[in-house]
Amino acid sequence: MVRGIAAALFLVALTSGGWGQQGSRSYIFTGVVKPEDCKVLPQSSFEIHPSLSRSGSADRLSIKCAPIADGTTLLTLTFLLTDTPPALERGQSRSYSFRWGAKIEKHLNPMAGEFTHDGPRCIQILSLFSEHASAKDRNLGPQWIGGCYHEDRWGLAMELTLTEATR
Protein backbone atom coordinates (compact mmCIF):
# COMPACT_ATOMS: atom_id res chain seq x y z
CA MET A 1 0.00 0.00 0.00
CA VAL A 2 2.72 2.47 1.04
CA ARG A 3 4.87 1.55 -1.99
CA GLY A 4 1.81 2.16 -4.16
CA ILE A 5 1.45 5.64 -2.70
CA ALA A 6 5.11 6.39 -3.35
CA ALA A 7 4.86 5.11 -6.93
CA ALA A 8 1.74 7.21 -7.51
CA LEU A 9 3.50 10.33 -6.20
CA PHE A 10 6.43 9.68 -8.55
CA LEU A 11 4.12 9.25 -11.55
CA VAL A 12 2.20 12.41 -10.68
CA ALA A 13 5.50 14.29 -10.55
CA LEU A 14 6.43 13.01 -13.97
CA THR A 15 3.14 13.90 -15.59
CA SER A 16 3.06 17.35 -14.03
CA GLY A 17 6.68 18.07 -14.89
CA GLY A 18 7.45 16.20 -18.06
CA TRP A 19 11.03 16.11 -19.32
CA GLY A 20 10.24 17.28 -22.82
CA GLN A 21 8.14 20.28 -21.87
CA GLN A 22 9.04 23.95 -21.77
CA GLY A 23 9.36 25.98 -18.58
CA SER A 24 10.12 25.14 -14.99
CA ARG A 25 9.42 21.60 -13.91
CA SER A 26 10.01 19.38 -10.93
CA TYR A 27 10.74 15.71 -10.46
CA ILE A 28 9.88 14.05 -7.18
CA PHE A 29 11.46 10.86 -5.89
CA THR A 30 9.99 9.38 -2.70
CA GLY A 31 10.35 6.42 -0.41
CA VAL A 32 9.13 5.25 2.95
CA VAL A 33 11.84 5.15 5.63
CA LYS A 34 12.06 4.39 9.31
CA PRO A 35 11.88 7.52 11.50
CA GLU A 36 15.39 6.85 12.82
CA ASP A 37 16.76 6.90 9.25
CA CYS A 38 16.01 10.64 9.13
CA LYS A 39 18.35 11.30 12.06
CA VAL A 40 21.37 11.09 9.72
CA LEU A 41 20.15 14.28 7.98
CA PRO A 42 21.11 17.68 9.44
CA GLN A 43 17.47 18.84 9.39
CA SER A 44 14.13 17.33 8.44
CA SER A 45 13.86 19.73 5.48
CA PHE A 46 16.56 21.61 3.54
CA GLU A 47 17.70 22.64 0.06
CA ILE A 48 20.81 21.99 -1.98
CA HIS A 49 21.84 24.55 -4.60
CA PRO A 50 22.84 23.81 -8.19
CA SER A 51 26.44 23.58 -9.27
CA LEU A 52 28.56 23.70 -12.41
CA SER A 53 27.00 25.66 -15.28
CA ARG A 54 23.70 26.16 -13.39
CA SER A 55 25.28 27.49 -10.17
CA GLY A 56 23.69 30.93 -10.56
CA SER A 57 20.24 29.62 -11.42
CA ALA A 58 17.15 29.27 -9.26
CA ASP A 59 17.26 25.45 -9.57
CA ARG A 60 16.96 23.67 -6.23
CA LEU A 61 17.05 20.18 -4.80
CA SER A 62 14.70 20.06 -1.85
CA ILE A 63 15.12 17.22 0.64
CA LYS A 64 12.45 16.40 3.18
CA CYS A 65 12.11 13.56 5.66
CA ALA A 66 8.90 13.83 7.65
CA PRO A 67 5.96 11.90 9.03
CA ILE A 68 2.86 11.68 6.86
CA ALA A 69 -0.82 11.16 7.68
CA ASP A 70 -0.73 7.35 7.90
CA GLY A 71 2.01 7.43 10.55
CA THR A 72 4.87 6.45 8.24
CA THR A 73 7.87 8.62 7.40
CA LEU A 74 8.40 9.76 3.83
CA LEU A 75 11.75 10.73 2.33
CA THR A 76 11.29 13.13 -0.59
CA LEU A 77 13.84 14.46 -3.07
CA THR A 78 12.36 17.20 -5.27
CA PHE A 79 14.47 18.47 -8.15
CA LEU A 80 13.15 21.88 -9.26
CA LEU A 81 14.52 22.97 -12.65
CA THR A 82 13.84 26.54 -13.76
CA ASP A 83 15.24 26.72 -17.28
CA THR A 84 13.20 26.56 -20.48
CA PRO A 85 15.19 24.27 -22.75
CA PRO A 86 13.93 22.99 -26.08
CA ALA A 87 12.36 19.55 -26.15
CA LEU A 88 14.89 16.76 -26.34
CA GLU A 89 15.30 14.95 -29.63
CA ARG A 90 15.33 11.15 -29.64
CA GLY A 91 18.49 9.87 -27.96
CA GLN A 92 19.45 13.21 -26.39
CA SER A 93 19.92 13.99 -22.71
CA ARG A 94 20.74 16.89 -20.42
CA SER A 95 22.00 16.88 -16.85
CA TYR A 96 21.57 19.10 -13.81
CA SER A 97 24.06 18.93 -10.97
CA PHE A 98 23.54 19.78 -7.29
CA ARG A 99 26.48 19.92 -4.86
CA TRP A 100 26.19 19.75 -1.08
CA GLY A 101 29.36 20.69 0.72
CA ALA A 102 28.40 23.54 3.06
CA LYS A 103 26.90 22.99 6.48
CA ILE A 104 23.11 23.06 6.53
CA GLU A 105 22.69 24.22 10.13
CA LYS A 106 23.19 27.89 10.92
CA HIS A 107 25.70 29.40 13.37
CA LEU A 108 28.40 26.85 12.67
CA ASN A 109 31.99 27.25 11.53
CA PRO A 110 31.69 28.60 7.95
CA MET A 111 35.06 27.08 7.03
CA ALA A 112 34.00 23.51 7.87
CA GLY A 113 31.78 21.66 5.44
CA GLU A 114 28.99 19.19 6.14
CA PHE A 115 31.23 16.19 5.43
CA THR A 116 34.72 17.69 5.94
CA HIS A 117 35.51 15.47 8.92
CA ASP A 118 32.89 12.75 8.37
CA GLY A 119 33.22 11.04 4.98
CA PRO A 120 31.29 7.92 6.06
CA ARG A 121 28.27 10.14 6.85
CA CYS A 122 28.24 11.37 3.24
CA ILE A 123 28.13 7.76 2.05
CA GLN A 124 25.44 6.90 4.62
CA ILE A 125 23.16 9.74 3.48
CA LEU A 126 23.76 8.95 -0.19
CA SER A 127 22.86 5.30 0.49
CA LEU A 128 19.64 6.41 2.22
CA PHE A 129 18.69 8.47 -0.84
CA SER A 130 19.65 5.73 -3.31
CA GLU A 131 17.90 2.94 -1.46
CA HIS A 132 14.63 4.75 -0.80
CA ALA A 133 14.23 7.67 -3.23
CA SER A 134 15.47 6.50 -6.62
CA ALA A 135 13.34 5.81 -9.67
CA LYS A 136 12.24 2.19 -9.60
CA ASP A 137 11.88 1.90 -13.38
CA ARG A 138 14.92 3.14 -15.30
CA ASN A 139 12.84 3.32 -18.50
CA LEU A 140 10.38 5.79 -17.03
CA GLY A 141 11.34 9.42 -16.62
CA PRO A 142 14.52 11.08 -15.43
CA GLN A 143 17.14 9.41 -13.28
CA TRP A 144 19.54 10.71 -10.69
CA ILE A 145 22.93 9.46 -9.58
CA GLY A 146 25.16 10.63 -6.78
CA GLY A 147 28.55 10.36 -5.22
CA CYS A 148 30.78 11.72 -2.50
CA TYR A 149 33.75 13.52 -4.03
CA HIS A 150 36.78 15.40 -2.78
CA GLU A 151 36.84 19.08 -3.68
CA ASP A 152 38.98 22.10 -2.93
CA ARG A 153 36.57 24.21 -0.89
CA TRP A 154 34.88 21.74 1.49
CA GLY A 155 37.23 18.78 1.35
CA LEU A 156 34.31 16.44 0.63
CA ALA A 157 30.97 17.14 -1.03
CA MET A 158 27.96 15.13 -2.14
CA GLU A 159 27.05 15.61 -5.79
CA LEU A 160 23.62 14.59 -7.11
CA THR A 161 23.05 14.76 -10.86
CA LEU A 162 19.62 14.51 -12.45
CA THR A 163 19.50 13.48 -16.10
CA GLU A 164 16.56 14.00 -18.43
CA ALA A 165 16.78 11.76 -21.49
CA THR A 166 14.73 10.44 -24.34
CA ARG A 167 14.73 6.78 -25.21
Side-chain angles (χ1 to χ4, degrees):
M1 170 82 177
V2 173
R3 285 194 181 270
I5 292 170
L9 285 172
F10 177 72
L11 289 175
V12 167
L14 285 178
T15 56
S16 66
W19 64 94
Q21 295 180 358
Q22 300 277 328
S24 65
R25 60 226 177 272
S26 61
Y27 300 109
I28 303 171
F29 299 86
T30 61
V32 176
V33 298
K34 293 181 265 184
E36 58 268 16
D37 290 339
C38 297
K39 291 179 182 174
V40 71
L41 300 175
Q43 296 177 352
S44 62
S45 180
F46 58 97
E47 289 186 341
I48 298 175
H49 294 265
S51 62
L52 302 175
S53 65
R54 304 277 309 152
S55 63
S57 74
D59 295 350
R60 294 292 181 265
L61 167 55
S62 174
I63 297 171
K64 187 174 184 180
C65 198
I68 54 177
D70 68 357
T72 61
T73 301
L74 190 66
L75 172 65
T76 306
L77 276 62
T78 304
F79 291 85
L80 173 63
L81 308 176
T82 59
D83 61 345
T84 55
L88 292 170
E89 298 292 327
R90 186 173 184 87
Q92 288 183 322
S93 66
R94 69 180 145 247
S95 296
Y96 298 85
S97 180
F98 298 83
R99 185 173 296 150
W100 175 16
K103 286 272 192 188
I104 297 297
E105 296 116 358
K106 293 180 171 52
H107 309 295
L108 297 172
N109 180 356
M111 299 307 292
E114 191 72 45
F115 308 109
T116 301
H117 304 291
D118 196 356
R121 184 165 164 260
C122 183
I123 294 168
Q124 183 181 15
I125 292 172
L126 185 60
S127 295
L128 174 70
F129 294 167
S130 297
E131 185 177 326
H132 296 285
S134 288
K136 306 304 180 225
D137 184 349
R138 294 192 115 1
N139 295 314
L140 180 64
Q143 302 291 315
W144 69 265
I145 59 169
C148 296
Y149 305 107
H150 290 283
E151 66 161 24
D152 292 340
R153 182 169 184 187
W154 303 112
L156 186 67
M158 180 184 298
E159 182 104 22
L160 299 174
T161 303
L162 178 86
T163 300
E164 298 174 312
T166 59
R167 310 286 187 249

